[in-house]
Amino acid sequence: MRRIAVVFGILVAILTSGLYAGEGHIRRMREPIRGQYLVMLKNEPGRNVKATAASLVHRFGGKVDREFQAASTGFAISMTDAQAAALSHDPMVRFVEEVAVVHLSSEQTSAGYWLDRLDSSYDGKYWYCEKAADVTAYMIDTGVWVDHSEFQTNGASRVLPGNSWTSGSGDYLVKTGDSSDYGYFPFTGTYPNYTPCAYNHGTMTASILAGNTYGVAKGASIVPLRIFKCSDFTTTTVYLNYAIDWIMSHYNPYRANRPAVLSMSVFQFVSDSCASSFPQTTITQTQASYLENEIDALLGYGYNSSTGLFYTPYVVHETGYADYNWDGIPVVVSANNLSSNAGDTTPARMAYHNSANFSSGGHVISVGGVDNTDALWSEFATVADGCGNTHTKGSNYGDTVDIYASASNITGAWVTSTTATTATNQLSGTSFSAPIVAGLIARLQQHYGTMTPAAAWSALQSSSALPSSAIEPSGTNNKLVARMYGQSTCSTEYP
């Protein structure tokens, strides 16, 4: 009798195990929602998912949250981990999987090194938890090609109609009111002077700020303000002041858009002296140039020369009445490529780091450049300084630099023909360091909301990284731009 009982017990065990002959394990996810599972049923023609789910709940417990009958055969269920493990052995079940968090596509693999270093992971990937879709980014440069693939989102370009102020022959975006006078290159017709504009510095800097592949803030809208001629890529402070004035004026249809940021990779020599003394002579607000007064207003600091006090700027309509107050926006500029620590160029000398030498209501964020080893960028080339001298081409440093970003061998959108919408180029310079920082400010504002210029600078400092060795010869300023998460995932996604 004992032998019969043992045999019977074994037979019962075998038969019982046959009832639960599924794969027999829970598929674990990296970011699971505890107590929630997806149950994939084995495909059987005519299976009623609702009835099957009810039968399984009756046997194993839990609560069905949703059934899937079309694309897949299964259901979502809430239950304990032990119940889910038991359910996974049922012969009708193909597998049980933990419900997991789903993110927007915020990981870019095979990212350019200038993007990879922003999250300080150095793993060839770029994590961006904010695309900055609500941010308006102004670009004062050579114009932006609206049709380049870097700016296309859901079949539409993120390059908005801006404006253009240029002079001289050979320019086709000159006539005010012309359908092409928007600061960008739509290439909707035949332009005989297209070739001189093939060097499209503005298109590249815009793609570093907001391009789909090469950009930091992949959802930001770009407003191009073109001030450079096609013929020789020069301009004057008149046109630069025009552009800044337009941003604040009632002519700007985006003037109320916030958050916003301005990026400009331009400079002007502000001294008629060619002496290379440093530190530079202390500049007071009354000695600031016209351009610097304009930038101060853009930053939110109007200056009353009679009282010596600052006030919130108000924009006066051309009919003579005060139209509206202006809330300042962050301004990011390149530190220039003269391998110098002299403070004889603007707007870089308006840097926060230079406040001891330049007394100003507001400050720009001046960006120097590093190479792919985080060393001060320089190369075997020379540039002129306006005094008949040449310098090794490389990033400026010293008091007129606030923070550093990548500047060497940066890839971005380029213009080679009217149909080459995916063309790229690779260049070096602090011109491309500035839009990296401007793009990060766009992301920070998407995350935290509209920031004053001072708040944006504070956020950059708290999020910056330090290289393993000093960047500058003096070692006093070694901030590298970064967006520190403390992990390589996004707990919250932002558009």
Side-chain angles (χ1 to χ4, degrees), residues 280-342:
Q280 69 270 29
T281 303
T282 300
I283 303 297
T284 65
Q285 186 66 38
T286 57
Q287 296 169 309
S289 69
Y290 194 104
L291 173 61
E292 289 162 343
N293 277 277
E294 286 255 328
I295 293 174
D296 252 337
L298 187 65
L299 290 164
Y301 294 89
Y303 180 68
N304 187 323
S305 58
S306 298
T307 64
L309 300 176
F310 290 97
Y311 60 89
T312 300
Y314 56 86
V315 177
V316 178
H317 194 276
E318 59 187 5
T319 57
Y321 64 89
D323 202 355
Y324 49 86
N325 288 336
W326 173 260
D327 296 322
I329 64 174
V331 175
V332 183
V333 304
S334 58
N336 308 323
N337 307 325
L338 297 174
S339 296
S340 170
N341 63 351

Side-chain angles (χ1 to χ4, degrees), residues 49 61 89 144-145 147 167 208-209 221 243 328 358 366 371 394 436 489:
V49 174
H89 289 277
V144 179
W145 186 18
D147 293 327
S167 64
I208 301 304
L209 193 158
S221 297
F358 190 95
S366 177
D371 61 22
I436 291 174
T489 58

Side-chain angles (χ1 to χ4, degrees), residues 119 158 162 177 181 204 224-225 261 272 338 354 391 400 460 493:
D119 57 21
R158 289 180 286 108
D181 191 19
M204 183 161 178
L225 303 174
V261 64
D272 60 0
L338 297 174
N354 197 40
H391 297 260
T400 59
L460 273 181
E493 293 283 354

Side-chain angles (χ1 to χ4, degrees), residues 407-470:
S408 176
N409 298 321
I410 307 297
T411 302
W414 202 247
V415 183
T416 59
S417 75
T418 58
T419 57
T421 57
T422 60
T424 62
N425 200 1
Q426 189 175 84
L427 295 174
S428 300
T430 59
S431 282
F432 312 111
S433 308
I436 291 174
V437 173
L440 189 53
I441 289 175
R443 283 181 50 193
L444 287 168
Q445 290 191 98
Q446 186 71 44
H447 189 114
Y448 296 109
T450 300
M451 292 180 173
T452 64
W457 170 232
S458 178
L460 273 181
Q461 292 182 89
S462 63
S463 189
S464 63
L466 292 175
S468 57
S469 59

Side-chain angles (χ1 to χ4, degrees), residues 228-426:
F228 290 91
K229 295 185 292 183
C230 290
S231 53
D232 59 6
F233 304 106
T234 60
T235 191
T236 71
T237 50
V238 172
Y239 299 105
L240 180 50
N241 287 324
Y242 263 140
I244 294 172
D245 203 62
W246 183 88
I247 293 174
M248 294 181 62
S249 77
H250 65 277
Y251 293 108
N252 175 11
Y254 323 108
R255 62 185 178 274
N257 287 13
R258 295 294 186 278
V261 64
L262 166 63
S263 177
M264 53 180 177
S265 298
V266 302
F267 75 94
Q268 169 203 354
F269 288 107
V270 288
S271 173
D272 60 0
S273 170
C274 287
S276 57
S277 60
F278 189 82
Q280 69 270 29
T281 303
T282 300
I283 303 297
T284 65
Q285 186 66 38
T286 57
Q287 296 169 309
S289 69
Y290 194 104
L291 173 61
E292 289 162 343
N293 277 277
E294 286 255 328
I295 293 174
D296 252 337
L298 187 65
L299 290 164
Y301 294 89
Y303 180 68
N304 187 323
S305 58
S306 298
T307 64
L309 300 176
F310 290 97
Y311 60 89
T312 300
Y314 56 86
V315 177
V316 178
H317 194 276
E318 59 187 5
T319 57
Y321 64 89
D323 202 355
Y324 49 86
N325 288 336
W326 173 260
D327 296 322
I329 64 174
V331 175
V332 183
V333 304
S334 58
N336 308 323
N337 307 325
L338 297 174
S339 296
S340 170
N341 63 351
D344 58 353
T345 64
T346 197
R349 72 174 185 175
M350 299 180 71
Y352 283 91
H353 201 228
N354 197 40
S355 58
N357 297 312
F358 190 95
S359 176
S360 174
H363 295 280
V364 302
I365 297 170
S366 177
V367 188
V370 294
D371 61 22
N372 60 356
T373 67
D374 293 338
L376 190 68
W377 165 71
S378 65
E379 58 184 43
F380 297 106
T382 58
V383 289
D385 65 358
C387 291
N389 305 313
T390 57
H391 297 260
T392 299
K393 187 177 182 181
S395 174
N396 281 15
Y397 57 92
D399 287 349
T400 59
V401 177
D402 287 316
I403 198 166
Y404 287 89
S406 302
S408 176
N409 298 321
I410 307 297
T411 302
W414 202 247
V415 183
T416 59
S417 75
T418 58
T419 57
T421 57
T422 60
T424 62
N425 200 1
Q426 189 175 84

Side-chain angles (χ1 to χ4, degrees), residues 127-145:
W127 291 92
Y128 53 97
C129 297
E130 312 92 1
K131 291 186 177 180
D134 296 328
V135 179
T136 301
Y138 297 95
M139 304 289 299
I140 296 181
D141 213 293
T142 66
V144 179
W145 186 18

